[in-house]
Amino acid sequence: MVSRVIPVDPFDLVIFGATGDLARRKILPGLYRRFVAGQIPETSRIIGSARTEMDDPGFRAFVAEAIAEFIDAKKRDAESITRFLDHLRYVAVDAKGDNGWPELAALIRTDVVQAYYFSVAPSLFGDLAERLHRHGIATPEARIVVEKPFGRDLETAKALNATLAAHFAESQIYRIDHYLGKETVQNLMAVRFANILFEPLWNARHVDHVQITVSETVGVGGRGAYYDKSGAMRDMVQNHLMQLLCLIAMEAPYRFDPDAVRDEKLKVIHALQPVVPEDIVRGQYRAGTRNGGGSYAEDVDHRDSRTESYIALKVDIANWRWKGTPFYLRTGKKLRARASEIAVVFKEVPHSIFGDEEGWRENVLAIRLQPNEGMTLSVMIKEPGPGGMRLTEVPLDMSFAEALGEDGADIPDAYERLIMDVIRGNQTLFMRGDEVEAAWAWTDPIIAAWEARGDRPKGYDPGSSGPEDALMLLHRDGRRWREMRE
């Protein structure tokens, strides 16, 4: 199978915060990969911008070091790096002042696609948006990309949306959630809506429950100050896991169109039921030798912190398709394995002609987002050999790396795909303002309730699968979590 690379139109892409960690690790190396793949026209330019004083050669040296660090040696060569670096420019600007903006304005062309990536703290979004217009830089067709967090509650999300809306139309705003750029997430839509096989079974009559897991083996690291004010609910559930839930639960849009897709996702969020306290488990990792030594409280330098590094929830959707089918969500840090997975667990057959076989398993469609993106469908078959009808479970496995050969092993990173979608003007994989606000409207009461009760997170050991109470969340329903594994 050959992967098609479709070039985008020529563009000027300005990366605000170009010397920051996200730009160094993801954005700039990703753009180099798209350039090598032939997707970026030779007339395009990438303009780095930050407070740091730097000239063009200095920025090119910075980017060359990032490419050397984050791109495999087999996928880079001196000639392509030199050609890519020739497309780079740099302008130092003051987001809260006027220094550098006239110089930036002089660089920007009006006859190509304009895109501005706000790889900065949300507190600077309004300043950047206002100055892009005050200095006459952004055209009415320009696009801006904003990173999460999109507020920390409904009130701040509304304020942030209003700030951006004062300078840009909703059609120009691209709220990026890198989970939606993953190949498997998009394949989930293809599997559901391009095949007759699954959609008739995709409902409460046939699906017993759905599990969505995003687990990490690392702790909060250098994000302690930010994370302790957010926690797993705000940092992961309200955005990443919410988006995955929407893609699993949504109805088929009338066509694969940005607003049509996002309209259906919004309906799912509106149908989410309030979560009662007994359906929530919050945890904090303890000190331990596995996966690092410090406890969460030590890592964030807050001995009495009540912020969760782990959360599990049982979520119900009040609509005809999903009434009675629970969705179990869990995410956390310093857990047993680094993995992101959606598991759709189908109900058992209504009557087994083979008797009550020990070890009977349900059919499970497992969509793996990381690592080793792919899908498996577990089915029951006859165990090979003579001696009667003995059943065994086997997976129908599709690993992208194996199924697609070399193309599968070189799937574009989520940021690569999403940035190219920005240049194309395709908002399908980006969140709309009302979608963000609806997600916060569901999340805020949950957080307010446990804060009012003064709940403390349960402790759990590093390298485990989370607090013991999280196991009971499913056990009391006669179910069990899937094993976390790499």
Side-chain angles (χ1 to χ4, degrees), residues 115-421:
Y116 302 91
Y117 200 124
F118 291 7
S119 181
V120 297
S123 60
L124 295 177
F125 289 174
D127 296 302
L128 293 175
E130 189 273 332
R131 279 160 179 76
L132 283 171
H133 280 278
R134 186 202 303 173
H135 292 276
I137 300 174
T139 67
E141 293 77 34
R143 295 131 200 192
I144 63 169
V145 185
V146 294
E147 279 281 347
K148 72 161 195 156
F150 311 115
R152 69 181 313 275
D153 52 28
L154 178 58
E155 181 182 356
T156 54
K158 285 183 174 180
L160 180 55
N161 281 338
T163 297
L164 296 176
H167 305 286
F168 292 92
E170 181 63 35
S171 60
Q172 296 177 275
I173 303 170
Y174 292 70
R175 298 171 186 83
I176 193 167
D177 183 337
H178 71 276
Y179 265 64
L180 295 184
K182 292 182 179 293
E183 187 75 17
T184 319
V185 173
Q186 294 172 74
N187 252 308
L188 171 60
M189 286 190 280
V191 166
R192 282 197 61 191
F193 302 128
N195 298 283
I196 195 64
L197 178 65
F198 288 112
E199 193 58 23
L201 307 178
W202 211 264
N203 54 59
R205 287 187 60 198
H206 301 285
V207 176
D208 180 77
H209 69 281
V210 177
Q211 295 183 27
I212 302 177
T213 297
V214 177
S215 62
E216 301 177 79
T217 56
V218 298
V220 296
R223 301 174 69 221
Y226 157 76
Y227 196 92
D228 200 43
K229 295 178 181 178
S230 300
M233 186 69 174
R234 288 188 172 99
D235 188 55
M236 293 295 293
V237 175
Q238 186 274 338
N239 41 73
H240 296 328
L241 273 70
M242 176 78 72
Q243 289 298 308
L244 299 181
L245 182 151
C246 286
L247 292 176
I248 287 287
M250 64 187 275
E251 298 294 327
Y254 68 92
R255 65 181 179 187
F256 193 60
D257 168 88
D259 278 329
V261 170
R262 295 186 293 182
D263 285 346
E264 296 304 331
K265 287 162 58 184
L266 183 61
K267 291 176 186 177
V268 173
I269 300 174
H270 285 317
L272 294 177
Q273 293 295 282
V275 182
V276 295
E278 54 267 31
D279 287 342
I280 304 169
V281 177
R282 299 165 64 237
Q284 256 186 27
Y285 59 81
R286 304 185 183 103
T289 56
R290 188 172 177 182
N291 297 359
S295 68
Y296 173 84
E298 292 168 337
D299 287 351
V300 300
D301 195 24
H302 185 185
R303 186 175 62 182
D304 196 41
S305 174
R306 298 190 180 192
T307 301
E308 73 283 354
S309 63
Y310 173 99
I311 189 167
L313 308 96
K314 177 183 176 182
V315 177
D316 293 308
I317 302 175
N319 62 21
W320 277 34
R321 181 183 289 265
W322 294 114
K323 184 66 175 177
T325 294
F327 285 67
Y328 298 99
L329 317 181
R330 63 174 170 170
T331 183
K333 294 187 175 294
K334 283 203 178 181
L335 296 174
R336 179 174 297 158
R338 174 180 174 266
S340 298
E341 181 191 76
I342 303 166
V344 180
V345 182
F346 293 92
K347 293 181 177 180
E348 294 184 4
V349 293
H351 170 68
S352 172
I353 65 173
F354 306 108
D356 296 328
E357 283 276 344
E358 184 178 348
W360 182 273
R361 297 288 186 270
E362 309 99 335
N363 301 125
V364 179
L365 177 65
I367 302 113
R368 196 167 180 85
L369 310 181
Q370 66 180 18
N372 305 320
E373 293 184 79
M375 299 186 187
T376 61
L377 175 63
S378 62
V379 297
M380 300 300 293
I381 66 167
K382 176 189 175 295
E383 187 176 290
M389 181 64 74
R390 298 184 304 275
L391 302 181
T392 187
E393 181 185 30
V394 297
L396 302 178
D397 194 347
M398 189 189 79
S399 164
F400 291 157
E402 294 177 5
L404 304 181
E406 292 182 2
D407 291 317
D410 197 34
I411 295 171
D413 177 83
Y415 277 96
E416 298 174 39
R417 175 178 293 104
L418 293 172
I419 293 172
M420 292 299 97
D421 277 355

